[in-house]
């Protein structure tokens, strides 16, 4: 097996917008067991019917398998989610990864529903030469510049590697630092030539000559060797150079800093000794129904586990392999508890406040079953106290400068949380700690508002507007997996945890506890930061 990178180019898209051109985005879907699931999506390119996307898709390639892919193009309206309105769909195409590998550059027409052609729209997938994007010159104001960096391929073609953000109305732009993997930047060949194009700045479509007037090579090796200095290049417009005898440049682009970073993988941290501590928090509010009634979500059926137990066992059995002592914290919220039967939103279900841990997942199951007859289901559904408690525990361990312990909090609830503002605040605070939060919605309630806590559709913010440092929440309704295997639920809710672990320790610049085991796979190899101004 090997990894293959794919890039998309779309030409002659349908124009769905009345006043402007479409704002296209491509999503890539993979087929597994007959079901299509989203793998990734490109950036959105504003008002363009012939977009060239910078995003590269990394897909594991297996010669011995038929790997079906589907590319779908959508017109995005603001924060409108992809695929929820038929008139956003601009066309799609199905193929196999083998076709792309064999053809290197696959061009296919886009199809609408029922096999109808989307006019003359086509999509190009592979590693083709990237044609320059044609831009309309800005004749009425200052330029809106952005920078494009290209890799020169062995066959002499150009491959778009990165496109910076657009800086509006500015003749002296300073772009944000960015990261790009060496495999994308230069195919891990530090002697490979690079090229860049500056669009919309100073002179329209001016060419930034990273090849030093085309005769001198500029490579990653050269940039790294010059990283202690501020390297600059003339920004040259070829047309001006031909017409004006004393023309030198239209400005200067400066590379202010460049660093090579070793990026560790989730496996590096786990094999280095990082322990995953698992905590479950269970909703005991009255909306679950009387546990003695067979209609209750907490009803204990001797022949079949309820939804709470199914979710707990599915996720817990995966996590327990990464905790050496196999002891897990089990908490409850929303119930009146003995001896005074006051409402608590943070109590140990084994009723031992000094030690809330249970032996293995089976111990958690037994504590859950034993506590049900002893409590009174009540409310409201407040989860911020437990999130704050686990975050505080993780924060104490976060002061230790090693990658020894990471926390996963599984919250099982039958409805939308009541303390949404406090929960958002608690999650923002928790995003700075070694903690991931999984929320599973049990039952048939409307969980639409819970999607706010999952950062997939936008950055979660506190009530005061502070964004999370990193996306640490994954929300899944259990009903979507009622007929699926427990492994399918566990795979879905735990899919983002490895990335979240790496993000936390990378942000803190903490290496695995046992370094020196050799490099990570190429797709996770060093990143090059290239701030430019």
């Amino acid at each position: 097996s090997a990894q293959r990178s794919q890039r998309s180019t779309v030409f002659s898209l349908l124009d769905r917008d009345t006043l402007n051109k479409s704002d296209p985005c491509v999503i890539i879907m993979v087929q597994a067991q007959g079901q299509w699931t989203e793998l990734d999506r490109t950036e959105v390119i504003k008002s363009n019917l012939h977009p060239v996307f910078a995003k590269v898709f990394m897909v594991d390639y297996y010669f011995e398998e038929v790997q079906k892919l589907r590319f779908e193009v959508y017109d995005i309206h603001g924060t409108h989610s992809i695929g929820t309105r038929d008139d956003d769909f601009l066309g799609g195409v199905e193929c196999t990864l083998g076709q792309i590998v064999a053809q290197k550059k696959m061009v296919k027409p886009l199809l609408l529903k029922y096999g109808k052609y989307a006019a003359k729209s086509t999509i190009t997938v592979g590693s083709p030469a990237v044609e320059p994007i044609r831009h309309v010159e800005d004749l009425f104001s200052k330029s809106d510049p952005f920078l494009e960096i290209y890799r020169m391929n062995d066959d002499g073609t150009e491959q778009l590697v990165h496109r910076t953000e657009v800086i509006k109305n500015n003749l002296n732009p300073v772009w944000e630092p960015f990261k790009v993997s060496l495999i994308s930047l230069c195919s891990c060949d530090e002697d490979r030539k690079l090229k860049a194009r500056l669009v919309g700045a100073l002179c329209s479509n001016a060419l930034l000559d990273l090849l030093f007037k085309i005769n001198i090579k500029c490579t990653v090796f050269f940039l790294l060797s010059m990283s202690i200095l501020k390297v600059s290049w003339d920004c040259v417009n070829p047309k001006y150079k031909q017409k004006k005898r004393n023309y030198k440049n239209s400005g200067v682009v400066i590379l202010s800093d460049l660093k090579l970073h070793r990026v560790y993988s989730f496996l590096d941290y786990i094999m280095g000794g990082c322990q995953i501590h698992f905590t479950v928090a269970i909703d005991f509010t009255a909306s679950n129904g009387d546990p003695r009634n067979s209609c209750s979500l907490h009803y204990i059926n001797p022949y079949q586990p309820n939804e709470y137990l199914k979710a707990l066992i599915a996720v817990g059995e995966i996590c327990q392999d990464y905790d050496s002592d196999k002891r897990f914290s089990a908490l409850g919220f929303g119930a009146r508890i003995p001896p005074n039967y006051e409402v608590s939103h943070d109590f140990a279900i084994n009723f031992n406040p000094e030690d809330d841990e249970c032996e293995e997942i089976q111990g958690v199951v037994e504590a859950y079953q034993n506590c049900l007859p002893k409590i009174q289901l009540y409310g409201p559904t407040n989860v911020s106290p437990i999130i704050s408690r686990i975050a505080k525990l993780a924060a104490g361990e976060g002061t230790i400068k090693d990658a020894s312990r990471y926390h996963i909090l599984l919250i099982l609830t039958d409805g939308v949380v009541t303390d949404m503002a406090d929960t958002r605040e608690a999650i923002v605070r928790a995003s700075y700690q070694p903690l991931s939060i999984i929320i599973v919605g049990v039952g048939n309630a409307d969980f639409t508002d819970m999607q706010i806590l999952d950062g997939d559709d936008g950055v979660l913010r506190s009530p005061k507007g502070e964004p999370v440092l990193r996306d640490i929440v994954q929300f899944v309704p259990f009903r979507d997996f009622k007929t699926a295997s427990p492994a399918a639920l566990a795979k879905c809710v735990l899919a983002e945890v490895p990335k979240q672990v790496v993000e936390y320790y990378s942000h803190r610049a903490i290496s695995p506890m046992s370094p020196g085991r050799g490099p990570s796979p190429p797709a996770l190899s060093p990143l090059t930061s290239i701030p430019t101004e």
Side-chain angles (χ1 to χ4, degrees):
S1 66
Q3 282 203 323
R4 300 291 299 182
S5 62
Q6 302 168 27
R7 194 185 303 278
S8 302
T9 308
V10 187
F11 291 102
S12 303
L13 285 175
L14 295 175
D15 194 357
R16 297 290 197 191
D17 289 353
T18 305
L19 301 178
N20 301 306
K21 295 179 181 178
S22 296
D23 302 333
C25 173
V26 177
I27 64 174
I28 181 173
M29 307 183 76
V30 295
Q31 190 181 71
Q33 299 179 342
Q35 299 293 321
W36 288 104
T37 57
E38 180 180 337
L39 175 68
D40 206 346
R41 62 184 66 182
T42 68
E43 72 276 19
V44 177
I45 297 182
K46 296 291 186 180
S47 192
N48 196 323
L49 301 183
H50 307 278
V52 178
F53 297 96
K55 179 68 176 287
V56 175
F57 300 117
M58 301 301 295
V59 182
D60 289 326
Y61 164 64
Y62 300 94
F63 173 78
E64 67 275 14
E65 295 182 12
V66 177
Q67 296 172 265
K68 293 185 178 181
L69 303 177
R70 178 170 176 80
F71 296 86
E72 296 184 347
V73 186
Y74 289 88
D75 179 17
I76 308 303
H77 303 285
T79 58
H80 179 61
S81 60
I82 291 180
T84 57
R85 284 176 29 184
D86 289 340
D87 60 353
D88 290 330
F89 183 59
L90 301 179
V93 64
E94 292 183 17
C95 64
T96 66
L97 185 56
Q99 290 174 325
I100 298 173
V101 171
Q103 298 177 30
K104 295 185 176 65
K105 176 181 178 180
M106 187 194 72
V107 182
K108 281 197 170 187
L110 291 177
L111 300 177
L112 300 172
K113 288 187 175 180
Y114 313 113
K116 182 179 178 182
Y117 285 99
K120 297 181 179 180
S121 300
T122 63
I123 185 169
T124 301
V125 182
S127 299
V130 179
E131 296 294 333
I133 303 175
R134 294 177 174 82
H135 298 271
V136 179
E137 293 190 16
D138 191 346
L139 301 177
F140 304 103
S141 65
K142 295 181 180 179
S143 296
D144 300 335
F146 62 92
L147 188 67
E148 294 178 332
I149 297 175
Y150 294 84
R151 177 184 75 229
M152 303 302 293
N153 295 323
D154 293 335
D155 60 1
T157 59
E158 303 171 5
Q159 179 70 64
L160 180 62
V161 171
H162 181 79
R163 181 184 293 127
T164 69
E165 74 278 12
V166 176
I167 297 183
K168 293 288 187 180
N169 204 30
N170 195 323
L171 296 182
N172 296 287
V174 178
W175 287 286
E176 290 292 324
F178 62 88
K179 296 180 180 180
V180 58
S181 66
L182 279 184
I183 195 170
S184 294
L185 183 64
C186 61
S187 301
C188 292
D189 175 8
E190 294 183 357
D191 292 323
R192 186 174 296 275
K193 296 179 185 178
L194 302 177
K195 181 179 179 180
R197 182 171 289 107
L198 188 61
V199 183
L202 304 173
C203 301
S204 174
N205 209 27
L207 183 67
L208 171 61
D209 191 0
L210 279 185
L211 301 182
F212 289 97
K213 300 182 181 178
I214 308 176
N215 294 320
I216 302 177
K217 296 180 181 179
C218 176
T219 65
V220 174
F221 178 77
F222 170 80
L223 294 177
L224 288 170
S225 65
M226 298 292 289
S227 60
I228 59 175
L229 304 173
K230 282 194 174 183
V231 188
S232 63
W233 295 271
D234 289 337
C235 183
V236 178
N237 185 306
K239 293 181 180 179
Y240 282 21
K241 190 173 182 178
Q242 290 178 357
K243 294 179 181 180
K244 299 181 180 181
R245 180 177 301 176
N246 297 322
Y247 175 79
K248 181 180 179 182
N249 61 47
S250 298
V252 176
V253 172
I254 300 171
L255 178 67
S256 63
D257 190 24
L258 183 146
K259 294 177 181 177
L260 198 63
H261 296 283
R262 170 72 161 89
V263 177
Y264 294 101
S265 70
F266 175 68
L267 196 58
D268 289 327
Y269 287 104
I270 293 300
M271 296 187 72
C274 182
Q275 297 286 297
I276 303 293
H277 184 72
F278 178 66
T279 300
V280 61
I282 301 174
D283 182 343
F284 290 109
T285 56
S287 55
N288 285 280
D290 188 338
R292 295 169 294 184
N293 190 315
S294 61
C295 295
S296 171
L297 293 171
H298 281 304
Y299 178 68
I300 303 299
N301 186 327
Y303 305 105
Q304 178 178 314
N306 60 35
E307 291 187 10
Y308 279 97
L309 286 175
K310 286 180 179 178
L312 164 63
I313 294 169
V315 178
E317 286 189 340
I318 299 292
C319 294
Q320 71 178 356
D321 289 340
Y322 302 98
D323 191 344
S324 59
D325 67 5
K326 302 292 188 291
R327 291 178 57 82
F328 310 109
S329 297
L331 309 173
F333 59 93
R336 286 175 166 171
I337 63 173
N340 299 323
Y341 286 93
E342 295 178 347
V343 177
S344 174
H345 298 293
D346 176 9
F347 64 92
I349 64 175
N350 64 2
F351 301 108
N352 182 356
E354 302 301 323
D355 183 8
D356 58 25
E357 293 186 335
C358 304
E359 291 287 345
E360 302 188 344
I361 293 303
Q362 185 56 37
V364 178
V365 172
E366 293 172 359
Y368 164 72
Q369 294 173 331
N370 292 336
C371 90
L372 279 171
K374 302 175 184 177
I375 61 174
Q376 295 178 1
L377 275 57
Y378 203 70
T381 309
N382 293 348
V383 300
S384 62
I386 283 180
I387 294 176
S388 297
R389 171 182 173 175
I390 303 303
K392 184 177 180 180
L393 177 64
E397 294 170 354
T399 58
I400 304 173
K401 300 294 184 180
D402 64 28
S404 59
R405 197 171 179 87
Y406 191 89
H407 292 258
I408 293 178
L409 171 60
L410 171 64
I411 300 175
L412 306 175
T413 179
D414 80 320
V416 176
V417 299
T418 308
D419 59 339
M420 183 62 77
D422 290 340
T423 297
R424 286 163 52 200
E425 181 70 32
I427 291 173
V428 169
R429 301 277 76 79
S431 69
Y432 289 82
Q433 310 307 332
L435 171 64
S436 292
I437 301 172
I438 298 166
I439 304 175
V440 177
V442 176
N444 297 315
D446 183 0
F447 292 111
T448 303
D449 290 344
M450 294 292 281
Q451 300 290 350
I452 298 172
L453 303 179
D454 193 323
D456 290 347
D457 296 327
V459 177
L460 175 70
R461 296 179 180 273
S462 71
K464 296 180 181 179
E466 181 184 354
V468 289
L469 176 67
R470 55 195 183 91
D471 180 12
I472 64 169
V473 177
Q474 174 79 345
F475 172 78
V476 175
F478 183 84
R479 59 173 171 259
D480 292 352
F481 296 87
K482 266 191 173 182
T483 59
S485 67
L489 172 65
K491 182 178 179 180
C492 179
V493 299
L494 293 172
E496 295 184 11
V497 170
K499 181 183 72 172
Q500 292 167 357
V501 171
V502 172
E503 284 179 348
Y504 172 76
Y505 289 121
S506 297
H507 177 75
R508 296 283 304 276
I510 298 176
S511 302
M513 290 191 296
S514 300
R517 296 184 304 99
S520 297
L524 297 172
S525 57
L527 295 181
T528 305
S529 302
I530 309 182
T532 56
E533 63 181 28

